[in-house]
Amino acid sequence: AHRADRCGFGGFDVAVPTEDAAAVLGTLLSRAGRELTQADLDEARFRAGVPRYGADFDETHYPQEAGLKERAVSFTKGCYLGQEVVCTLENRGQLRRRMMLIEGEGLEPGQALEGADGKKLGEVRSTLGHRAFAVLRRAATEGVDEVPVAGGRSVRILRVL
């Protein structure tokens, strides 16, 4: 077992042989009280502002875009796959888009968000109630708390990751 604070509330990852998994899970559940559901995990990650791979970002996003720089990138470790691109972006580039936690009405996963002028701002990735993780253009969202979107609505930026 090792510490794995995925959502800002503490926690551990536990690796056990497959044949022991049911017994270990049973012991952990007897001490914890109940098993967390996916809905529980989604609520925790939305509260903590932690995007999930596959739902909110994927291999087409740079770690800095997904808000993973502090948790998943080392600039001192030495060579690793993708290091040159990540370092170049950090030292010379400007992010064109950023993962943000937003709030607004009618947000649906996969929905394109267009500005009031009709230009694409980004895309909603996953939702929980009126909150959503979205990848949005940095230039259109820099220095503002609320972004007008098509249809006379707006979305509020809760957190830039």
Side-chain angles (χ1 to χ4, degrees), residues 78-138:
C79 296
Y80 56 86
L81 187 61
Q83 176 188 22
E84 185 175 337
V85 174
V86 169
C87 280
T88 300
L89 181 60
E90 185 68 20
N91 294 321
R92 296 187 195 153
Q94 285 283 340
L95 292 175
R96 291 189 179 161
R97 56 190 185 162
R98 294 290 308 263
M99 176 73 61
M100 299 182 189
L101 183 60
I102 62 172
E103 184 176 60
E105 297 290 327
L107 299 172
E108 296 290 331
Q111 173 186 5
L113 289 176
E114 295 180 352
D117 59 2
K119 290 184 181 178
K120 185 173 179 180
L121 294 175
E123 179 185 24
V124 174
R125 302 296 295 190
S126 68
T127 61
L128 183 69
H130 296 297
R131 294 175 288 166
F133 282 107
V135 178
L136 300 171
R137 285 187 17 236
R138 182 190 54 81

CSV table of all heavy atoms in Angstrom, one decimal, residues 78-138:
chain,number,residue,atom,x,y,z
A,78,GLY,N,14.9,13.5,-15.1
A,78,GLY,CA,15.7,13.0,-16.2
A,78,GLY,C,14.9,12.6,-17.4
A,78,GLY,O,13.7,13.1,-17.5
A,79,CYS,N,15.3,11.7,-18.2
A,79,CYS,CA,14.6,11.4,-19.4
A,79,CYS,C,13.4,10.6,-19.2
A,79,CYS,O,13.4,9.6,-18.4
A,79,CYS,CB,15.6,10.7,-20.4
A,79,CYS,SG,17.0,11.7,-20.9
A,80,TYR,N,12.3,11.0,-19.9
A,80,TYR,CA,11.1,10.2,-20.0
A,80,TYR,C,10.4,10.5,-21.2
A,80,TYR,O,10.6,11.5,-21.9
A,80,TYR,CB,10.2,10.4,-18.7
A,80,TYR,CG,9.8,11.8,-18.5
A,80,TYR,CD1,8.7,12.4,-19.1
A,80,TYR,CD2,10.5,12.6,-17.6
A,80,TYR,CE1,8.3,13.7,-18.9
A,80,TYR,CE2,10.1,13.9,-17.4
A,80,TYR,CZ,9.0,14.5,-18.0
A,80,TYR,OH,8.7,15.8,-17.8
A,81,LEU,N,9.5,9.6,-21.7
A,81,LEU,CA,8.8,9.7,-22.9
A,81,LEU,C,7.9,11.0,-22.9
A,81,LEU,O,7.1,11.2,-22.0
A,81,LEU,CB,7.9,8.5,-23.1
A,81,LEU,CG,7.2,8.4,-24.5
A,81,LEU,CD1,8.2,8.4,-25.6
A,81,LEU,CD2,6.3,7.2,-24.5
A,82,GLY,N,8.1,11.9,-23.8
A,82,GLY,CA,7.3,13.1,-23.9
A,82,GLY,C,8.0,14.3,-23.2
A,82,GLY,O,7.4,15.4,-23.2
A,83,GLN,N,9.1,14.1,-22.6
A,83,GLN,CA,9.8,15.1,-21.8
A,83,GLN,C,10.1,16.4,-22.6
A,83,GLN,O,9.8,17.5,-22.1
A,83,GLN,CB,11.1,14.6,-21.2
A,83,GLN,CG,11.8,15.6,-20.4
A,83,GLN,CD,13.2,15.1,-20.0
A,83,GLN,OE1,13.7,14.2,-20.6
A,83,GLN,NE2,13.8,15.7,-19.0
A,84,GLU,N,10.6,16.2,-23.8
A,84,GLU,CA,11.0,17.4,-24.6
A,84,GLU,C,9.8,18.3,-24.9
A,84,GLU,O,9.9,19.5,-24.8
A,84,GLU,CB,11.6,16.9,-25.9
A,84,GLU,CG,12.2,18.0,-26.7
A,84,GLU,CD,12.9,17.5,-28.0
A,84,GLU,OE1,13.4,16.4,-28.0
A,84,GLU,OE2,13.0,18.4,-28.9
A,85,VAL,N,8.7,17.7,-25.3
A,85,VAL,CA,7.5,18.5,-25.6
A,85,VAL,C,6.9,19.2,-24.4
A,85,VAL,O,6.6,20.4,-24.4
A,85,VAL,CB,6.4,17.6,-26.3
A,85,VAL,CG1,5.1,18.4,-26.4
A,85,VAL,CG2,6.9,17.0,-27.6
A,86,VAL,N,6.9,18.5,-23.3
A,86,VAL,CA,6.4,19.0,-22.0
A,86,VAL,C,7.3,20.2,-21.6
A,86,VAL,O,6.8,21.2,-21.1
A,86,VAL,CB,6.2,17.9,-20.9
A,86,VAL,CG1,6.0,18.5,-19.6
A,86,VAL,CG2,5.1,17.0,-21.3
A,87,CYS,N,8.6,20.0,-21.6
A,87,CYS,CA,9.5,21.0,-21.2
A,87,CYS,C,9.5,22.2,-22.1
A,87,CYS,O,9.5,23.4,-21.7
A,87,CYS,CB,11.0,20.5,-21.1
A,87,CYS,SG,11.3,19.6,-19.7
A,88,THR,N,9.4,22.0,-23.4
A,88,THR,CA,9.3,23.1,-24.4
A,88,THR,C,8.1,23.9,-24.1
A,88,THR,O,8.1,25.2,-24.1
A,88,THR,CB,9.3,22.6,-25.8
A,88,THR,OG1,10.6,21.9,-26.0
A,88,THR,CG2,9.2,23.7,-26.8
A,89,LEU,N,6.9,23.3,-23.9
A,89,LEU,CA,5.7,24.0,-23.6
A,89,LEU,C,5.8,24.8,-22.3
A,89,LEU,O,5.4,25.9,-22.3
A,89,LEU,CB,4.5,23.0,-23.5
A,89,LEU,CG,3.2,23.6,-23.2
A,89,LEU,CD1,2.8,24.6,-24.3
A,89,LEU,CD2,2.1,22.5,-23.1
A,90,GLU,N,6.5,24.2,-21.3
A,90,GLU,CA,6.7,24.9,-20.0
A,90,GLU,C,7.6,26.1,-20.2
A,90,GLU,O,7.3,27.2,-19.6
A,90,GLU,CB,7.2,23.9,-19.0
A,90,GLU,CG,7.3,24.5,-17.6
A,90,GLU,CD,6.0,24.7,-17.0
A,90,GLU,OE1,4.9,24.2,-17.4
A,90,GLU,OE2,5.9,25.5,-16.0
A,91,ASN,N,8.7,26.0,-20.9
A,91,ASN,CA,9.7,27.0,-20.9
A,91,ASN,C,9.5,28.1,-22.0
A,91,ASN,O,9.9,29.2,-21.9
A,91,ASN,CB,11.1,26.4,-21.1
A,91,ASN,CG,11.4,25.6,-19.9
A,91,ASN,OD1,11.2,26.0,-18.8
A,91,ASN,ND2,12.1,24.5,-20.1
A,92,ARG,N,8.8,27.7,-23.1
A,92,ARG,CA,8.7,28.6,-24.3
A,92,ARG,C,7.3,28.9,-24.7
A,92,ARG,O,7.0,30.0,-25.3
A,92,ARG,CB,9.5,28.1,-25.5
A,92,ARG,CG,10.9,28.0,-25.3
A,92,ARG,CD,11.6,27.6,-26.6
A,92,ARG,NE,12.9,27.1,-26.3
A,92,ARG,CZ,13.5,26.3,-27.1
A,92,ARG,NH1,13.0,25.8,-28.1
A,92,ARG,NH2,14.7,25.9,-26.7
A,93,GLY,N,6.4,28.0,-24.4
A,93,GLY,CA,5.1,28.1,-25.0
A,93,GLY,C,4.1,28.7,-24.1
A,93,GLY,O,4.3,29.0,-23.0
A,94,GLN,N,2.9,28.9,-24.7
A,94,GLN,CA,1.8,29.4,-24.0
A,94,GLN,C,0.7,28.3,-24.2
A,94,GLN,O,0.5,27.9,-25.4
A,94,GLN,CB,1.2,30.7,-24.6
A,94,GLN,CG,2.1,31.9,-24.2
A,94,GLN,CD,1.7,32.3,-22.8
A,94,GLN,OE1,0.7,32.0,-22.2
A,94,GLN,NE2,2.6,33.1,-22.2
A,95,LEU,N,0.0,28.0,-23.2
A,95,LEU,CA,-1.1,27.0,-23.3
A,95,LEU,C,-2.2,27.7,-24.1
A,95,LEU,O,-2.6,28.8,-23.8
A,95,LEU,CB,-1.6,26.6,-22.0
A,95,LEU,CG,-0.7,25.7,-21.1
A,95,LEU,CD1,-1.3,25.5,-19.7
A,95,LEU,CD2,-0.4,24.4,-21.8
A,96,ARG,N,-2.7,26.9,-25.1
A,96,ARG,CA,-3.8,27.5,-25.9
A,96,ARG,C,-5.2,27.1,-25.2
A,96,ARG,O,-6.2,27.8,-25.4
A,96,ARG,CB,-3.8,26.9,-27.3
A,96,ARG,CG,-2.7,27.4,-28.1
A,96,ARG,CD,-2.8,27.0,-29.5
A,96,ARG,NE,-1.6,27.6,-30.2
A,96,ARG,CZ,-1.2,27.2,-31.4
A,96,ARG,NH1,-1.9,26.2,-32.0
A,96,ARG,NH2,-0.2,27.7,-32.0
A,97,ARG,N,-5.2,26.1,-24.4
A,97,ARG,CA,-6.4,25.7,-23.8
A,97,ARG,C,-6.1,25.1,-22.4
A,97,ARG,O,-5.0,24.7,-22.1
A,97,ARG,CB,-7.2,24.6,-24.6
A,97,ARG,CG,-6.3,23.4,-24.9
A,97,ARG,CD,-7.0,22.5,-25.9
A,97,ARG,NE,-6.1,21.3,-26.0
A,97,ARG,CZ,-6.5,20.1,-26.5
A,97,ARG,NH1,-7.8,20.0,-27.0
A,97,ARG,NH2,-5.7,19.1,-26.6
A,98,ARG,N,-7.1,25.2,-21.5
A,98,ARG,CA,-6.9,24.8,-20.1
A,98,ARG,C,-8.1,24.0,-19.6
A,98,ARG,O,-9.2,24.3,-20.0
A,98,ARG,CB,-6.7,26.0,-19.2
A,98,ARG,CG,-5.5,26.8,-19.3
A,98,ARG,CD,-4.2,26.1,-18.9
A,98,ARG,NE,-4.2,25.6,-17.6
A,98,ARG,CZ,-3.7,26.1,-16.5
A,98,ARG,NH1,-3.2,27.3,-16.6
A,98,ARG,NH2,-3.8,25.5,-15.3
A,99,MET,N,-7.9,23.1,-18.7
A,99,MET,CA,-9.0,22.4,-18.1
A,99,MET,C,-9.5,23.3,-17.0
A,99,MET,O,-8.8,23.9,-16.2
A,99,MET,CB,-8.5,21.1,-17.4
A,99,MET,CG,-9.5,20.3,-16.7
A,99,MET,SD,-10.7,19.5,-17.7
A,99,MET,CE,-9.7,18.4,-18.6
A,100,MET,N,-10.8,23.4,-16.9
A,100,MET,CA,-11.5,24.3,-16.0
A,100,MET,C,-12.7,23.6,-15.4
A,100,MET,O,-13.3,22.8,-16.0
A,100,MET,CB,-11.9,25.6,-16.6
A,100,MET,CG,-10.8,26.4,-17.2
A,100,MET,SD,-11.4,28.0,-17.8
A,100,MET,CE,-9.8,28.5,-18.6
A,101,LEU,N,-13.0,23.9,-14.1
A,101,LEU,CA,-14.2,23.5,-13.5
A,101,LEU,C,-15.2,24.6,-13.6
A,101,LEU,O,-14.8,25.7,-13.2
A,101,LEU,CB,-14.0,23.1,-12.0
A,101,LEU,CG,-15.1,22.6,-11.2
A,101,LEU,CD1,-15.7,21.3,-11.9
A,101,LEU,CD2,-14.7,22.3,-9.8
A,102,ILE,N,-16.3,24.4,-14.3
A,102,ILE,CA,-17.2,25.5,-14.6
A,102,ILE,C,-18.6,25.1,-14.0
A,102,ILE,O,-18.9,24.0,-13.7
A,102,ILE,CB,-17.3,25.8,-16.1
A,102,ILE,CG1,-17.8,24.5,-16.9
A,102,ILE,CG2,-16.0,26.2,-16.7
A,102,ILE,CD1,-18.1,24.8,-18.4
A,103,GLU,N,-19.5,26.1,-14.0
A,103,GLU,CA,-20.8,25.9,-13.6
A,103,GLU,C,-21.8,26.7,-14.5
A,103,GLU,O,-21.5,27.8,-14.9
A,103,GLU,CB,-21.0,26.5,-12.2
A,103,GLU,CG,-22.3,26.3,-11.5
A,103,GLU,CD,-22.3,26.8,-10.1
A,103,GLU,OE1,-22.0,28.0,-9.9
A,103,GLU,OE2,-22.5,25.9,-9.2
A,104,GLY,N,-22.9,26.0,-14.9
A,104,GLY,CA,-23.9,26.7,-15.7
A,104,GLY,C,-25.0,25.7,-16.0
A,104,GLY,O,-25.0,24.6,-15.7
A,105,GLU,N,-26.0,26.3,-16.6
A,105,GLU,CA,-27.2,25.5,-17.0
A,105,GLU,C,-27.0,24.7,-18.3
A,105,GLU,O,-26.4,25.2,-19.2
A,105,GLU,CB,-28.4,26.5,-17.1
A,105,GLU,CG,-28.8,27.2,-15.9
A,105,GLU,CD,-29.4,26.3,-14.8
A,105,GLU,OE1,-30.1,25.4,-15.2
A,105,GLU,OE2,-29.2,26.6,-13.6
A,106,GLY,N,-27.6,23.6,-18.3
A,106,GLY,CA,-27.7,22.8,-19.6
A,106,GLY,C,-26.4,22.3,-20.1
A,106,GLY,O,-26.2,22.1,-21.3
A,107,LEU,N,-25.4,22.0,-19.2
A,107,LEU,CA,-24.1,21.5,-19.6
A,107,LEU,C,-24.2,20.0,-19.8
A,107,LEU,O,-24.7,19.3,-18.9
A,107,LEU,CB,-23.0,21.8,-18.6
A,107,LEU,CG,-22.8,23.3,-18.4
A,107,LEU,CD1,-21.9,23.6,-17.2
A,107,LEU,CD2,-22.3,24.0,-19.7
A,108,GLU,N,-23.7,19.5,-20.9
A,108,GLU,CA,-23.8,18.0,-21.3
A,108,GLU,C,-22.4,17.6,-21.7
A,108,GLU,O,-21.7,18.3,-22.4
A,108,GLU,CB,-24.8,17.8,-22.4
A,108,GLU,CG,-26.2,18.1,-22.0
A,108,GLU,CD,-26.8,17.1,-21.0
A,108,GLU,OE1,-26.3,15.9,-20.9
A,108,GLU,OE2,-27.7,17.5,-20.2
A,109,PRO,N,-21.9,16.4,-21.3
A,109,PRO,CA,-20.7,15.9,-21.8
A,109,PRO,C,-20.6,15.8,-23.3
A,109,PRO,O,-21.5,15.5,-24.0
A,109,PRO,CB,-20.6,14.4,-21.2
A,109,PRO,CG,-21.5,14.5,-20.1
A,109,PRO,CD,-22.6,15.4,-20.4
A,110,GLY,N,-19.5,16.3,-23.8
A,110,GLY,CA,-19.2,16.3,-25.3
A,110,GLY,C,-19.8,17.6,-26.0
A,110,GLY,O,-19.6,17.8,-27.1
A,111,GLN,N,-20.5,18.4,-25.2
A,111,GLN,CA,-21.1,19.6,-25.8
A,111,GLN,C,-20.0,20.7,-26.1
A,111,GLN,O,-19.1,20.9,-25.3
A,111,GLN,CB,-22.1,20.2,-24.7
A,111,GLN,CG,-22.6,21.6,-25.1
A,111,GLN,CD,-23.5,22.1,-23.9
A,111,GLN,OE1,-23.5,21.5,-22.8
A,111,GLN,NE2,-24.1,23.2,-24.1
A,112,ALA,N,-20.1,21.2,-27.3
A,112,ALA,CA,-19.2,22.3,-27.7
A,112,ALA,C,-19.7,23.6,-27.1
A,112,ALA,O,-20.9,23.8,-27.1
A,112,ALA,CB,-19.1,22.4,-29.2
A,113,LEU,N,-18.8,24.4,-26.5
A,113,LEU,CA,-19.2,25.7,-26.0
A,113,LEU,C,-18.8,26.7,-27.0
A,113,LEU,O,-17.6,26.8,-27.3
A,113,LEU,CB,-18.6,25.9,-24.6
A,113,LEU,CG,-19.1,25.1,-23.5
A,113,LEU,CD1,-18.3,25.3,-22.2
A,113,LEU,CD2,-20.6,25.4,-23.3
A,114,GLU,N,-19.7,27.5,-27.4
A,114,GLU,CA,-19.4,28.6,-28.3
A,114,GLU,C,-19.7,29.9,-27.6
A,114,GLU,O,-20.6,30.0,-26.8
A,114,GLU,CB,-20.4,28.6,-29.5
A,114,GLU,CG,-20.1,27.4,-30.4
A,114,GLU,CD,-21.0,27.3,-31.6
A,114,GLU,OE1,-22.0,28.2,-31.7
A,114,GLU,OE2,-20.8,26.5,-32.5
A,115,GLY,N,-18.8,30.9,-27.9
A,115,GLY,CA,-19.0,32.2,-27.3
A,115,GLY,C,-20.2,32.9,-27.9
A,115,GLY,O,-20.8,32.4,-28.8
A,116,ALA,N,-20.5,34.0,-27.3
A,116,ALA,CA,-21.6,34.8,-27.8
A,116,ALA,C,-21.4,35.3,-29.2
A,116,ALA,O,-22.4,35.5,-30.0
A,116,ALA,CB,-21.8,36.1,-26.9
A,117,ASP,N,-20.1,35.3,-29.7
A,117,ASP,CA,-19.8,35.7,-31.0
A,117,ASP,C,-19.9,34.5,-32.0
A,117,ASP,O,-19.6,34.6,-33.2
A,117,ASP,CB,-18.5,36.4,-31.1
A,117,ASP,CG,-17.3,35.5,-30.6
A,117,ASP,OD1,-17.6,34.3,-30.2
A,117,ASP,OD2,-16.2,36.0,-30.5
A,118,GLY,N,-20.2,33.3,-31.5
A,118,GLY,CA,-20.2,32.1,-32.3
A,118,GLY,C,-18.9,31.3,-32.5
A,118,GLY,O,-18.9,30.3,-33.0
A,119,LYS,N,-17.8,31.9,-31.9
A,119,LYS,CA,-16.5,31.2,-32.0
A,119,LYS,C,-16.5,30.1,-31.0
A,119,LYS,O,-16.9,30.3,-29.8
A,119,LYS,CB,-15.4,32.1,-31.8
A,119,LYS,CG,-15.2,33.1,-33.0
A,119,LYS,CD,-14.0,34.0,-32.7
A,119,LYS,CE,-13.8,35.0,-33.9
A,119,LYS,NZ,-12.6,35.8,-33.6
A,120,LYS,N,-15.9,29.0,-31.3
A,120,LYS,CA,-15.7,27.8,-30.4
A,120,LYS,C,-14.8,28.2,-29.2
A,120,LYS,O,-13.7,28.6,-29.5
A,120,LYS,CB,-15.3,26.6,-31.1
A,120,LYS,CG,-15.3,25.4,-30.1
A,120,LYS,CD,-14.9,24.1,-30.8
A,120,LYS,CE,-14.9,23.0,-29.8
A,120,LYS,NZ,-14.6,21.7,-30.4
A,121,LEU,N,-15.3,28.0,-28.0
A,121,LEU,CA,-14.5,28.3,-26.8
A,121,LEU,C,-13.8,27.0,-26.3
A,121,LEU,O,-12.8,27.0,-25.7
A,121,LEU,CB,-15.4,28.8,-25.7
A,121,LEU,CG,-16.0,30.2,-25.9
A,121,LEU,CD1,-16.9,30.5,-24.7
A,121,LEU,CD2,-14.9,31.2,-26.0
A,122,GLY,N,-14.5,25.9,-26.5
A,122,GLY,CA,-14.0,24.6,-26.0
A,122,GLY,C,-15.1,23.6,-25.9
A,122,GLY,O,-16.1,23.7,-26.6
A,123,GLU,N,-14.9,22.6,-25.0
A,123,GLU,CA,-15.8,21.5,-25.0
A,123,GLU,C,-16.0,21.0,-23.5
A,123,GLU,O,-15.1,21.0,-22.7
A,123,GLU,CB,-15.2,20.3,-25.7
A,123,GLU,CG,-16.0,19.1,-25.7
A,123,GLU,CD,-15.4,17.9,-26.4
A,123,GLU,OE1,-14.1,17.9,-26.5
A,123,GLU,OE2,-16.1,17.0,-26.8
A,124,VAL,N,-17.3,20.7,-23.2
A,124,VAL,CA,-17.6,20.1,-21.9
A,124,VAL,C,-17.1,18.7,-21.9
A,124,VAL,O,-17.4,17.9,-22.9
A,124,VAL,CB,-19.1,20.2,-21.6
A,124,VAL,CG1,-19.5,19.5,-20.3
A,124,VAL,CG2,-19.6,21.7,-21.6
A,125,ARG,N,-16.5,18.2,-20.9
A,125,ARG,CA,-15.9,16.9,-20.8
A,125,ARG,C,-16.8,15.9,-20.0
A,125,ARG,O,-17.2,14.9,-20.4
A,125,ARG,CB,-14.5,16.9,-20.3
A,125,ARG,CG,-13.5,17.7,-21.2
A,125,ARG,CD,-13.4,17.2,-22.6
A,125,ARG,NE,-12.8,15.9,-22.5
A,125,ARG,CZ,-12.4,15.2,-23.6
A,125,ARG,NH1,-12.5,15.7,-24.8
A,125,ARG,NH2,-11.8,14.0,-23.4
A,126,SER,N,-17.0,16.3,-18.7
A,126,SER,CA,-17.9,15.5,-17.9
A,126,SER,C,-18.7,16.5,-17.0
A,126,SER,O,-18.3,17.6,-16.7
A,126,SER,CB,-17.1,14.5,-17.0
A,126,SER,OG,-16.3,15.1,-16.1
A,127,THR,N,-19.8,16.0,-16.5
A,127,THR,CA,-20.7,16.9,-15.7
A,127,THR,C,-21.2,16.2,-14.4
A,127,THR,O,-21.2,15.0,-14.3
A,127,THR,CB,-22.0,17.3,-16.5
A,127,THR,OG1,-22.7,16.1,-16.8
A,127,THR,CG2,-21.6,18.0,-17.8
A,128,LEU,N,-21.5,17.0,-13.5
A,128,LEU,CA,-22.2,16.6,-12.2
A,128,LEU,C,-23.1,17.7,-11.8
A,128,LEU,O,-22.6,18.7,-11.4
A,128,LEU,CB,-21.1,16.3,-11.1
A,128,LEU,CG,-21.7,15.7,-9.8
A,128,LEU,CD1,-22.2,14.3,-10.0
A,128,LEU,CD2,-20.6,15.7,-8.8
A,129,GLY,N,-24.4,17.5,-12.0
A,129,GLY,CA,-25.4,18.6,-11.8
A,129,GLY,C,-25.1,19.7,-12.7
A,129,GLY,O,-25.0,19.5,-13.9
A,130,HIS,N,-24.9,20.9,-12.2
A,130,HIS,CA,-24.7,22.1,-13.0
A,130,HIS,C,-23.2,22.4,-13.1
A,130,HIS,O,-22.8,23.4,-13.7
A,130,HIS,CB,-25.4,23.3,-12.3
A,130,HIS,CG,-26.9,23.2,-12.3
A,130,HIS,ND1,-27.6,23.2,-13.5
A,130,HIS,CD2,-27.7,23.2,-11.3
A,130,HIS,CE1,-28.9,23.1,-13.2
A,130,HIS,NE2,-29.0,23.1,-11.9
A,131,ARG,N,-22.4,21.5,-12.6
A,131,ARG,CA,-20.9,21.7,-12.7
A,131,ARG,C,-20.4,20.8,-13.8
A,131,ARG,O,-20.9,19.7,-14.1
A,131,ARG,CB,-20.2,21.3,-11.4
A,131,ARG,CG,-20.6,22.3,-10.2
A,131,ARG,CD,-20.0,21.9,-8.9
A,131,ARG,NE,-20.7,20.7,-8.5
A,131,ARG,CZ,-20.3,19.9,-7.5
A,131,ARG,NH1,-19.2,20.1,-6.9
A,131,ARG,NH2,-21.1,18.9,-7.1
A,132,ALA,N,-19.2,21.2,-14.4
A,132,ALA,CA,-18.6,20.4,-15.4
A,132,ALA,C,-17.1,20.7,-15.5
A,132,ALA,O,-16.7,21.8,-15.1
A,132,ALA,CB,-19.2,20.8,-16.8
A,133,PHE,N,-16.4,19.7,-15.9
A,133,PHE,CA,-15.0,19.9,-16.3
A,133,PHE,C,-15.1,20.2,-17.8
A,133,PHE,O,-15.8,19.5,-18.6
A,133,PHE,CB,-14.2,18.6,-16.1
A,133,PHE,CG,-13.8,18.4,-14.6
A,133,PHE,CD1,-14.4,17.5,-13.9
A,133,PHE,CD2,-12.8,19.3,-14.1
A,133,PHE,CE1,-14.0,17.3,-12.6
A,133,PHE,CE2,-12.5,19.1,-12.7
A,133,PHE,CZ,-13.0,18.1,-12.0
A,134,ALA,N,-14.4,21.2,-18.2
A,134,ALA,CA,-14.4,21.6,-19.6
A,134,ALA,C,-13.0,22.1,-20.0
A,134,ALA,O,-12.2,22.6,-19.2
A,134,ALA,CB,-15.4,22.8,-19.9
A,135,VAL,N,-12.6,21.8,-21.3
A,135,VAL,CA,-11.4,22.3,-21.8
A,135,VAL,C,-11.8,23.6,-22.6
A,135,VAL,O,-12.6,23.5,-23.6
A,135,VAL,CB,-10.7,21.3,-22.7
A,135,VAL,CG1,-9.4,21.8,-23.3
A,135,VAL,CG2,-10.4,20.0,-21.9
A,136,LEU,N,-11.2,24.7,-22.2
A,136,LEU,CA,-11.6,26.0,-22.8
A,136,LEU,C,-10.4,26.7,-23.3
A,136,LEU,O,-9.3,26.6,-22.7
A,136,LEU,CB,-12.4,26.9,-21.8
A,136,LEU,CG,-13.7,26.3,-21.3
A,136,LEU,CD1,-14.2,27.1,-20.2
A,136,LEU,CD2,-14.7,26.1,-22.4
A,137,ARG,N,-10.5,27.5,-24.3
A,137,ARG,CA,-9.5,28.4,-24.9
A,137,ARG,C,-9.0,29.4,-23.8
A,137,ARG,O,-9.8,30.1,-23.2
A,137,ARG,CB,-9.9,29.2,-26.1
A,137,ARG,CG,-10.0,28.3,-27.3
A,137,ARG,CD,-10.3,29.1,-28.6
A,137,ARG,NE,-10.1,30.5,-28.5
A,137,ARG,CZ,-11.0,31.5,-28.8
A,137,ARG,NH1,-12.2,31.1,-29.2
A,137,ARG,NH2,-10.8,32.7,-28.8
A,138,ARG,N,-7.7,29.4,-23.5
A,138,ARG,CA,-7.1,30.2,-22.5
A,138,ARG,C,-7.4,31.7,-22.8
A,138,ARG,O,-7.8,32.5,-22.0
A,138,ARG,CB,-5.6,30.0,-22.4
A,138,ARG,CG,-4.9,30.8,-21.4
A,138,ARG,CD,-3.4,30.7,-21.5
A,138,ARG,NE,-2.9,31.1,-22.7
A,138,ARG,CZ,-2.7,32.3,-23.2
A,138,ARG,NH1,-3.0,33.3,-22.5
A,138,ARG,NH2,-2.2,32.5,-24.4
